[in-house]
């Protein structure tokens, strides 16, 4: 099976060096902005012990402020393996039927939900009801209604809801956002986001509408949606979209293979994006304004991210994304730190509103207003 995550890893490892004469030098001392201060440790239980959970767990071994203290899985053998590998006591291990008991476990502060998309909503509600903070993989749900209910449930319970937007803490991404805010590109006019790969095993959950809530758009198109928002620095107000399906057997009704979509923003800027399960090597962001541009390719893979502007190369030092993400999320939950690019539940909900509008535009063939 060739998953999105395997694709992202291979793409970034195999990315060639793009010739560029100049080497950009970031402003002195700016790296201090993202330093996580010493302090208490966030004790995390991982829910869903698949391939990405393994990646997160490995990355967390380098964290100073986030530690794996529990696991939740429907597969007993996985729990046993994780207990041995990460020295997790039996009292901190749960299955999907009994994990509500984390309410009485002081060893767990937060639960990181890394399960199929359609399970995020009910699992988030249960974790919130147990009084634990929620970290949820993207997409946060399968539609905006569910996303809103997740936000409200966590607010009612007095716990944080954070979404696994690892790119919001990545150095090159943050530098491009900083340059845009500083006016280095002038008035922003256009963004392009390309996200895609050829998906493998036709029986996997990502091609099951009931579990995934869709196809490529939910899985990888969300990178271009979210990227358009933080790169342009505005929320889109309308969308048009077109779907192409070449294999209706593999991509059944409700499971999109390829969708191209266009977004309009209040300033007049526009975005043109592609989400596909049919073409590999698509991982590119391009932002251009009246005074310059920024390009990233790979733009959302596991790294290193390759980036440059009209002034030269960026290519800031690579740190494992999941390590940085969990360190920063610990600071958000424990210290009240405010990230430069939000990762809260409302941020995730906005992406779901846009995805709902994209699907509506595909169905109607018309421009759809995006209503938050």
């Amino acid at each position: 099976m060739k998953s999105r995550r395997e694709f992202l890893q291979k793409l970034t490892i195999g990315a060639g060096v793009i010739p560029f004469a100049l080497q950009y030098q970031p402003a002195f001392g700016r790296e201090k902005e993202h330093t996580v201060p010493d302090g208490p440790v966030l004790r995390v239980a991982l829910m869903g012990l698949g391939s990405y959970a393994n990646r997160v767990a490995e990355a967390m071994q380098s964290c100073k402020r986030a530690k794996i203290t529990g696991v939740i899985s429907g597969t007993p053998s996985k729990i046993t393996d994780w207990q041995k590998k990460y020295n997790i006591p039996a009292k901190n291990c749960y299955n999907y039927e009994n994990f509500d008991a984390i309410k009485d476990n002081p060893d767990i502060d937060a639960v990181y939900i890394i399960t199929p998309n359609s399970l995020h909503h009910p699992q988030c509600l249960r974790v919130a009801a147990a009084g634990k903070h929620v970290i949820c993989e993207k997409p946060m749900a399968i539609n905006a209604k569910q996303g809103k209910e997740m936000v409200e449930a966590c607010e009612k319970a007095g716990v944080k809801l954070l979404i696994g937007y690892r790119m919001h803490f990545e150095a090159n991404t943050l530098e491009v956002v900083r340059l845009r805010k500083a006016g280095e590109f002038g008035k922003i006019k256009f963004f392009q986001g390309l996200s895609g790969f050829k998906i493998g095993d036709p029986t996997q959950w990502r091609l099951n509408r009931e579990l995934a809530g869709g196809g490529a758009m939910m899985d990888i198109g969300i990178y271009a949606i979210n990227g358009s928002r933080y790169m342009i620095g505005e929320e889109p107000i309308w969308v048009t979209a077109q779907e192409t399906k070449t294999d209706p057997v593999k991509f059944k009704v409700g499971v999109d293979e390829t969708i191209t979509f266009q977004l309009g923003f209040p300033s007049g800027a526009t975005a043109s994006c592609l989400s596909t399960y049919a073409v590999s090597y698509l991982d590119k962001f391009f932002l251009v304004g009246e005074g310059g541009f920024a390009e990233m390719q790979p733009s959302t893979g596991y790294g290193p991210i390759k980036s440059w502007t009209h002034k030269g190369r960026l290519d800031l030092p690579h740190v494992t994304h999941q390590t940085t993400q969990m360190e920063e999320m610990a600071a958000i939950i424990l210290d009240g730190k405010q990230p430069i690019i939000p990762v809260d539940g409302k941020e995730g909900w906005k992406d779901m509103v846009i995805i709902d509008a994209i699907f509506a535009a595909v169905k109607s063939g018309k421009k759809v207003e995006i209503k938050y």
Side-chain angles (χ1 to χ4, degrees):
M1 182 181 80
K2 187 173 182 181
S3 72
R4 167 189 66 183
R5 295 171 178 114
E6 291 170 337
F7 156 74
L8 290 172
Q9 183 180 31
K10 291 177 181 178
L11 177 60
T12 52
I13 291 175
V17 176
I18 302 169
F20 218 98
L22 301 174
Q23 178 66 41
Y24 178 83
Q25 296 296 325
F28 175 77
R30 191 162 52 253
E31 66 276 5
K32 293 182 180 178
E33 292 179 6
H34 314 302
T35 300
V36 177
D38 292 334
V41 173
L42 183 70
R43 297 164 297 184
V44 182
L46 298 188
M47 179 184 291
L49 306 182
S51 61
Y52 192 66
N54 276 275
R55 180 179 290 276
V56 171
E58 290 292 337
M60 286 181 67
Q61 302 314 295
S62 299
C63 289
K64 295 180 180 179
R65 299 206 51 196
K67 178 183 179 181
I68 300 170
T69 58
V71 292
I72 303 169
S73 174
T75 307
S77 60
K78 288 185 178 180
I79 292 178
T80 300
D81 292 342
W82 279 62
Q83 277 189 269
K84 295 176 181 178
K85 186 172 183 178
Y86 297 109
N87 194 29
I88 301 170
K91 67 183 182 67
N92 293 353
C93 298
Y94 303 86
N95 58 43
Y96 295 134
E97 286 71 44
N98 68 10
F99 74 80
D100 306 273
I102 59 173
K103 178 179 181 179
D104 301 315
N105 192 332
D107 292 344
I108 297 172
D109 302 313
V111 175
Y112 193 162
I113 300 173
I114 314 177
T115 54
N117 305 337
S118 66
L119 302 181
H120 294 176
H121 173 261
Q123 290 170 343
C124 171
L125 299 190
R126 289 172 66 185
V127 172
K132 304 298 182 179
H133 300 292
V134 180
I135 302 171
C136 183
E137 256 311 299
K138 58 191 179 303
M140 69 181 296
I142 61 172
N143 56 51
K145 179 178 181 293
Q146 287 190 352
K148 184 178 181 182
E149 289 173 354
M150 292 164 68
V151 171
E152 292 173 346
C154 289
E155 288 178 345
K156 181 179 179 180
V159 298
K160 297 274 190 186
L161 171 57
L162 305 179
I163 311 303
Y165 290 118
R166 58 186 168 83
M167 300 312 299
H168 291 202
F169 307 110
E170 194 276 324
N172 293 272
T173 301
L174 289 172
E175 179 62 8
V176 171
V177 170
R178 187 196 70 82
L179 291 170
R180 187 257 301 157
K181 288 181 177 179
E184 290 292 326
F185 310 129
K187 183 179 180 181
I188 300 301
K189 304 297 289 185
F190 177 74
F191 170 81
Q192 180 187 49
L194 306 178
S195 302
F197 68 97
K198 287 185 178 180
I199 197 164
D201 182 6
T203 66
Q204 64 179 282
W205 70 263
R206 291 181 181 83
L207 296 177
N208 181 326
R209 182 184 182 184
E210 295 303 314
L211 289 175
M217 181 61 64
M218 288 289 189
D219 185 27
I220 199 166
I222 193 169
Y223 282 100
I225 293 170
N226 193 251
S228 73
R229 296 173 52 222
Y230 62 70
M231 293 286 273
I232 292 176
E234 300 178 49
E235 304 297 353
I237 55 176
W238 59 258
V239 62
T240 53
Q242 307 79 38
E243 181 176 7
T244 302
K245 187 172 292 190
T246 63
D247 188 346
V249 175
K250 189 172 187 178
F251 303 98
K252 297 177 174 59
V253 175
V255 179
D256 51 286
E257 176 184 349
T258 300
I259 293 179
T260 54
F261 58 97
Q262 305 77 43
L263 299 167
F265 295 79
S267 66
T270 57
S272 178
C273 303
L274 171 65
S275 166
T276 184
Y277 268 160
V279 181
S280 291
Y281 310 111
L282 288 178
D283 184 11
K284 176 182 177 180
F285 283 177
F286 177 71
L287 180 73
V288 64
E290 293 178 341
F293 73 88
E295 190 163 357
M296 306 173 75
Q297 186 177 9
S299 58
T300 62
Y302 291 136
I305 299 301
K306 299 295 182 181
S307 58
W308 59 101
T309 76
H310 58 290
K311 291 185 176 180
R313 295 298 295 264
L314 299 179
D315 294 354
L316 300 181
H318 172 67
V319 178
T320 302
H321 297 170
Q322 293 80 7
T323 301
T324 304
Q325 172 191 307
M326 295 309 294
E327 292 280 61
E328 293 287 343
M329 287 186 166
I332 292 169
I333 291 173
L334 299 174
D335 306 337
K337 183 175 181 179
Q338 296 297 313
I340 293 172
I341 308 174
V343 293
D344 57 84
K346 290 181 179 178
E347 177 79 359
W349 170 74
K350 289 176 183 177
D351 280 343
M352 299 315 304
V353 171
I354 297 167
I355 288 178
D356 284 355
I358 289 172
F359 288 150
V362 165
K363 186 175 181 179
S364 69
K366 299 177 181 179
K367 178 186 287 188
V368 172
E369 181 183 354
I370 301 173
K371 300 179 180 178
Y372 301 98

